[in-house]
Amino acid sequence: MSIRRLPEHLVNRIAAGEVVERPASALKELVENAIDAGAGRIAVALRGGGLGRIEVADDGCGMAPGEIALALERHATSKLPDDLIEAVVTLGFRGEALPSIASVARLTIESRVRGSDGWARIVDNGRLVQEGPAALPPGTRITVEGLFDQVPARRKFMRSERAEYAACADIVRRLAMARPEIGFTLEHDGRRTIAVPPGDDRAARVASLTDRALADNGVGIDYLRGEVRLGGVAGLPTFNRGVPDHQFLFVNGRPVKDRLLVGAVRGAYQEMLARDRHPVVALFIDLPGDEVDVNVHPAKTEVRFRDAGAIRGLIVGGLRAALDAAGHRSVQRPSAAALGSWQAEPPAAPWQSPQGSPPTWQPRSPAQGAVWDNVAGFAAAPQGRAEAAFAPPPDASTYPLGVARGQVAATYIVAEAADGLVLVDQHAAHERLVLERMRAALAGGGVRAQALLLPEVVEIDEPACDRLEARIDELAELGLEIERFGPKAVLVRATPALLGAGDVRGLVVDLADELAAYDEALSLRERLDAVAGTMACHGSVRAGRILSVAEMNALLREMEVTPHSGQCNHGRPTWVKLDHASIEKLFGRK
């Protein structure tokens, strides 16, 4: 086959495949153009998740009639000074977006320069169909209708309207964070979902677009190393999420998704967060233009740094300095020799009582807290202090995990066994026990629900509400009864009885994150199991709670008869043992 030049309309469609993957891609290009035009306010309106209609209106500099026609030609741009691509400071510069969008949709451009009349130009899937005068305020309004309607091979790969809208909202949210001096609004099917006025407080803008609680649970960052500055806001380690969807990264005002930067954030929080939890951060890196290449991806979502190692060090150092200054340091570790003497033990075999049958346990009522009682004993109410030993303690040699002697830091149970000292993470251990109970209940037909005295309204973003609403029946099997309560809220009527009274909002937010991470990628049973694990975490005894001696012993006994109790739901050990010989070595007795 001989080589030939491709026709212009086919070239545009190929370019559209690189630049316009979905409605969110087209929206990103249009909003970036509005920002580059010097807009002070940008209004976005969507219909059908952007598949039906996208409209972006701004009050920027506008375009003259001749410039509108030129903007619809490939590789025509006003954003490259003197042909020096390395000196570009605008968000867009390739000149491919508008002609690419116009080749796969009906595109209407209306623009007016201050002091002049407005002009409009309409292109329908690559064909000019109309142009003429237009009435509008100074600025530009671009409308995209019927995206991919005439390209069925691309249209069938689009997701649901809800999913496409969620992607569009994420684009607007990120660009609004990058430019706090610009006011943004977003409407979907006639309903306003984002509205932020122009201002100069970056931290306030980030909090308003992510979680308002971040304002009280975050630390500001202002870290300078050479000519590179790191700014933004970082959530405290205790203010975390189940998935990394609340990590926003910007380079010279450009939202990016970069593995190097994500890895650096994880490294900065490495010793302060569990492996399955993720921090909430919005980081802004400003550096000279010749130190970063922004022309490595058609959609400009990736960048390449000249000195990637230095940038990673900047992020790790800046984050740790900010968190340390706030007084949230990592826990000090013991000496390497002492730490090396501790070894995780495998799960103990099911224990049998001297009479030949294992003890039975049942959860207390929610009013008493999500703890446990032995039917034959250990029925003491939870105490906020150590419990006096009126009766002789149990014989440590009778039980594999020994008998409780006390707590350390209100987090770890110290027990004495016949062959050494056992240290138990009370939260991790009870989390596993609750999960196994929920699995058993699911196998038996479902988890019993406990109705709330007063239903609780939980406010979360609209895509999260959509995910929960789509899984109402599955959540009901786990004892969580919810219903939609407006665009950005759900009403919780009942929670699993196994969990007792707890943080209802935290549970719902984490479940929404869990569904965002897995959702359709897992089978129904796998999703139920993943959600059960999230619920178990919320229903377990928290670190920092003082337990009575009876409660500590009850936990040890249930661990001995529960499968997989040697590890928590996230793969970490629930207990470790230091044998007598190792203890003697620590004190130099051997």
Side-chain angles (χ1 to χ4, degrees):
M1 182 179 295
S2 60
I3 299 175
R4 66 184 182 93
R5 293 184 181 274
L6 295 176
E8 184 69 16
H9 73 278
L10 185 56
V11 170
N12 284 335
R13 288 200 172 184
I14 292 173
E18 295 179 344
V19 179
V20 189
E21 299 174 356
R22 59 193 304 190
S25 306
L27 177 61
K28 175 179 180 292
E29 300 290 345
L30 299 180
V31 176
E32 286 182 348
N33 282 345
I35 293 173
D36 289 339
R41 293 183 180 272
I42 300 175
V44 179
L46 305 175
R47 190 175 67 230
L51 291 168
R53 179 185 175 93
I54 302 171
E55 180 181 301
V56 177
D58 66 69
D59 59 356
C61 62
M63 292 181 286
E67 292 177 317
I68 295 176
L70 189 58
L72 288 168
E73 294 185 12
R74 295 190 69 236
H75 304 308
T77 181
S78 62
K79 305 173 185 181
L80 272 179
D82 304 325
D83 298 335
L84 297 176
I85 194 169
E86 64 273 10
V88 66
V89 295
T90 54
L91 295 176
F93 53 86
R94 288 173 177 263
E96 293 179 284
L98 291 178
S100 296
I101 296 171
S103 69
V104 291
R106 182 181 176 88
L107 178 74
T108 301
I109 301 181
E110 302 169 277
S111 192
R112 176 188 166 195
V113 178
R114 284 171 177 77
S116 303
D117 295 330
W119 192 260
R121 189 177 180 93
I122 303 175
V123 178
D124 189 356
N125 287 272
R127 295 176 293 104
L128 175 64
V129 295
Q130 184 180 338
E131 66 175 329
L136 76 161
T140 301
R141 180 170 59 229
I142 298 182
T143 304
V144 179
E145 299 173 291
L147 185 65
F148 298 128
D149 276 356
Q150 296 187 25
V151 191
R154 292 296 302 277
R155 181 70 181 224
K156 70 180 181 180
F157 284 99
M158 296 299 102
R159 300 179 64 186
S160 67
E161 290 185 3
R162 285 182 174 180
E164 297 299 343
Y165 162 69
C168 289
D170 183 65
I171 290 295
V172 175
R173 187 177 295 112
R174 291 176 185 271
L175 289 170
M177 283 185 202
R179 301 300 174 110
E181 73 279 7
I182 302 176
F184 285 82
T185 60
L186 171 63
E187 293 184 359
H188 183 228
D189 291 340
R191 182 168 48 80
R192 181 163 294 185
T193 57
I194 292 177
V196 288
D200 56 2
D201 190 335
R202 179 182 282 172
R205 171 65 66 90
V206 170
S208 67
L209 290 168
T210 54
D211 191 327
R212 293 175 183 173
L214 181 62
D216 298 322
N217 294 277
V219 294
I221 301 172
D222 189 6
Y223 192 72
L224 182 64
R225 182 179 291 179
E227 295 184 283
V228 186
R229 181 177 294 276
L230 176 68
V233 59
L236 299 177
T238 51
F239 189 75
N240 51 62
R241 306 278 297 206
V243 291
D245 65 338
H246 275 53
Q247 295 179 9
F248 305 95
L249 306 172
F250 306 86
V251 176
N252 289 346
R254 184 188 306 277
V256 298
K257 296 181 179 179
D258 187 273
R259 291 182 180 179
L260 166 72
L261 303 183
V262 172
V265 170
R266 179 176 292 277
Y269 281 86
Q270 184 173 7
E271 297 181 356
M272 293 176 270
L273 279 179
R275 285 173 294 178
D276 61 318
R277 307 300 298 178
H278 304 273
V280 178
V281 297
L283 302 180
F284 300 81
I285 300 174
D286 295 296
L287 72 169
D290 58 358
E291 292 295 321
V292 59
D293 184 1
V294 298
N295 191 33
V296 297
H297 191 277
K300 304 179 294 296
T301 58
E302 299 176 8
V303 295
R304 181 182 295 119
F305 296 101
R306 175 173 292 181
D307 189 348
I311 298 300
R312 187 185 190 282
L314 173 79
I315 294 175
V316 174
L319 280 172
R320 287 184 174 173
L323 295 172
D324 288 350
H328 296 272
R329 292 182 176 272
S330 314
V331 177
Q332 294 298 314
R333 299 189 176 203
S335 68
L339 189 63
S341 297
W342 293 81
Q343 296 181 1
E345 291 288 333
W351 174 84
Q352 296 291 324
S353 69
Q355 290 77 22
S357 59
T360 56
W361 312 93
Q362 64 183 16
R364 289 185 180 172
S365 67
Q368 294 173 297
V371 293
W372 50 94
D373 285 331
N374 181 355
V375 174
F378 298 121
Q383 300 292 322
R385 54 181 172 77
E387 192 176 85
F390 295 107
D395 184 0
S397 64
T398 308
Y399 306 107
L401 291 181
V403 296
R405 298 303 188 197
Q407 275 180 295
V408 175
T411 301
Y412 304 99
I413 298 172
V414 180
E416 181 185 359
D419 56 348
L421 186 68
V422 176
L423 193 62
V424 178
D425 183 332
Q426 65 190 42
H427 171 66
H430 193 226
E431 185 179 354
R432 167 59 68 177
L433 300 181
V434 173
L435 176 60
E436 294 301 327
R437 292 179 195 157
M438 295 192 76
R439 284 175 170 169
L442 278 172
V447 178
R448 186 168 61 87
Q450 174 69 47
L452 298 179
L453 184 61
L454 293 175
E456 184 166 340
V457 177
V458 178
E459 294 185 358
I460 48 179
D461 58 49
E462 189 171 359
C465 288
D466 292 339
R467 292 192 293 269
L468 289 170
E469 184 180 21
R471 303 289 173 225
I472 284 180
D473 293 339
E474 296 174 24
L475 295 175
E477 286 190 49
L478 290 160
L480 182 66
E481 298 178 4
I482 64 171
E483 61 185 64
R484 193 67 176 261
F485 195 71
K488 296 185 177 182
V490 294
L491 186 69
V492 182
R493 295 193 175 277
T495 58
L498 284 171
L499 305 187
D503 179 9
V504 174
R505 183 186 184 282
L507 173 62
V508 171
V509 169
D510 276 1
L511 287 176
D513 287 346
E514 196 81 30
L515 293 174
Y518 303 110
D519 202 27
E520 300 298 340
L522 300 179
S523 66
L524 171 61
R525 182 52 54 186
E526 288 172 325
R527 283 200 303 268
L528 287 176
D529 200 54
V531 170
T534 301
M535 289 184 170
C537 183
H538 281 268
S540 59
V541 171
R542 313 303 296 184
R545 175 175 172 181
I546 297 176
L547 302 178
S548 69
V549 173
E551 288 174 326
M552 289 187 275
N553 278 311
L555 175 61
L556 298 175
R557 301 293 79 78
E558 187 171 0
M559 289 176 66
E560 291 168 345
V561 297
T562 301
H564 314 300
S565 64
Q567 63 181 32
C568 75
N569 306 345
H570 315 292
R572 298 186 297 274
T574 59
W575 61 282
V576 292
K577 179 182 287 185
L578 192 65
D579 59 32
H580 289 155
S582 297
I583 295 175
E584 291 176 341
K585 286 180 182 179
L586 289 176
F587 289 96
R589 298 174 65 91
K590 278 193 177 181

